[in-house]
Amino acid sequence: MSIEIKFRTVGKWKENSYLLQSGNQGWLIDPGDEFELLNQMVIDQKCQLNGILNTHGHFDHIGAVAEFQKQYTIPFYIHSKDRQLVRQGNLYRKLAGEATTFQTPVITGFIEEQSGFHIGTNKIEMHSIPGHTHGSICFQIDSSLFTGDLFFADTIGRTDLPGGNRPLLLKSVEFILDNFQGYSIYPGHGQPFVLDENVIERLKQQL
């Protein structure tokens, strides 16, 4: 079955939260903030949520997770190397200048221990792309990639936040550029884009 992709840009840091849907089934990717706005998207789509997948554990990507867990009793998956970022999310949120806090989500399972996730008859595949954080993950479904903050719009992501490692990030960027030409990229911040030859050349100049 075909996959429908919806997203909303939420919170002070303009983070992209995605809803993948096939039929009446759905997965959330990186529900970062503004639970009511994201939940209305789920309601409007008449979507039954299977769970939450996170590309990484920075506070601006996990702020609405616990509210979705409470509302729908659904699992939350993230890489084990980012569990400390999840636990310290409110600390980093305050350090970034935000006065409000969020409920720390409960991690149901670690992504690297899963064989894959499914939506309808489609498999959601995972690729390790460390660099923005140690546990950063890319989700692939058909010709779409959800890269978290490996990319911002059509630029390379930053490494000056907790868990950042520039040499690792550059290797991850090279992996994506070498293997996913022509794919649609859904970044953590900024508009989605197609990884065409012009974009690849522009990104390679940043390596």
Side-chain angles (χ1 to χ4, degrees):
M1 295 180 64
S2 62
I3 299 297
E4 187 174 3
I5 299 169
K6 298 285 187 180
F7 79 97
R8 297 288 185 271
T9 300
V10 298
K12 177 179 178 181
W13 294 274
K14 306 299 182 183
E15 182 266 348
N16 293 336
S17 299
Y18 296 96
L19 174 65
L20 307 184
Q21 184 172 0
S22 178
N24 66 347
Q25 292 186 41
W27 284 90
L28 283 170
I29 297 179
D30 291 354
D33 209 340
E34 297 188 64
F35 167 75
E36 295 296 341
L37 175 65
L38 296 179
N39 190 43
Q40 190 60 53
M41 175 174 63
V42 173
I43 293 170
D44 291 344
Q45 291 298 116
K46 298 179 173 59
C47 188
Q48 180 178 333
L49 292 176
N50 293 341
I52 299 167
L53 304 173
N54 260 64
T55 60
H56 66 289
H58 281 152
F59 65 87
D60 56 326
H61 287 250
I62 64 171
V65 172
E67 290 179 276
F68 273 107
Q69 288 181 299
K70 181 179 179 180
Q71 182 76 17
Y72 294 101
T73 316
I74 51 176
F76 166 50
Y77 297 96
I78 196 167
H79 197 285
S80 63
K81 289 184 178 179
D82 276 13
R83 58 185 154 188
Q84 194 65 18
L85 290 177
V86 173
R87 293 170 181 164
Q88 296 179 333
N90 279 311
L91 170 62
Y92 291 124
R93 185 178 170 96
K94 287 183 178 180
L95 291 174
E98 180 57 66
T100 62
T101 60
F102 55 80
Q103 182 179 348
T104 301
V106 176
I107 299 172
T108 308
F110 297 124
I111 282 174
E112 73 274 18
E113 297 174 354
Q114 313 303 313
S115 59
F117 302 93
H118 291 83
I119 177 169
T121 58
N122 300 278
K123 184 175 182 180
I124 303 172
E125 299 185 63
M126 299 92 73
H127 305 283
S128 177
I129 51 166
H132 183 69
T133 67
H134 293 301
S136 287
I137 290 288
C138 173
F139 298 108
Q140 175 191 350
I141 185 162
D142 296 332
S143 59
S144 299
L145 292 177
F146 300 85
T147 62
D149 291 357
L150 181 69
F151 298 113
F152 296 143
D154 59 351
T155 64
I156 291 174
R158 57 195 292 187
T159 56
D160 59 336
L161 298 171
N165 182 304
R166 185 166 177 78
L168 281 179
L169 181 131
L170 296 182
K171 288 182 180 179
S172 294
V173 169
E174 289 177 343
F175 166 72
I176 297 297
L177 299 186
D178 290 343
N179 292 282
F180 298 99
Q181 182 173 341
Y183 278 62
S184 295
I185 304 297
Y186 293 88
H189 303 263
Q191 286 296 309
F193 59 94
V194 175
L195 196 62
D196 61 24
E197 291 183 359
N198 291 331
V199 172
I200 289 174
E201 183 60 31
R202 190 157 61 245
L203 292 172
K204 284 185 175 180
Q205 293 175 4
Q206 301 176 35
L207 296 176

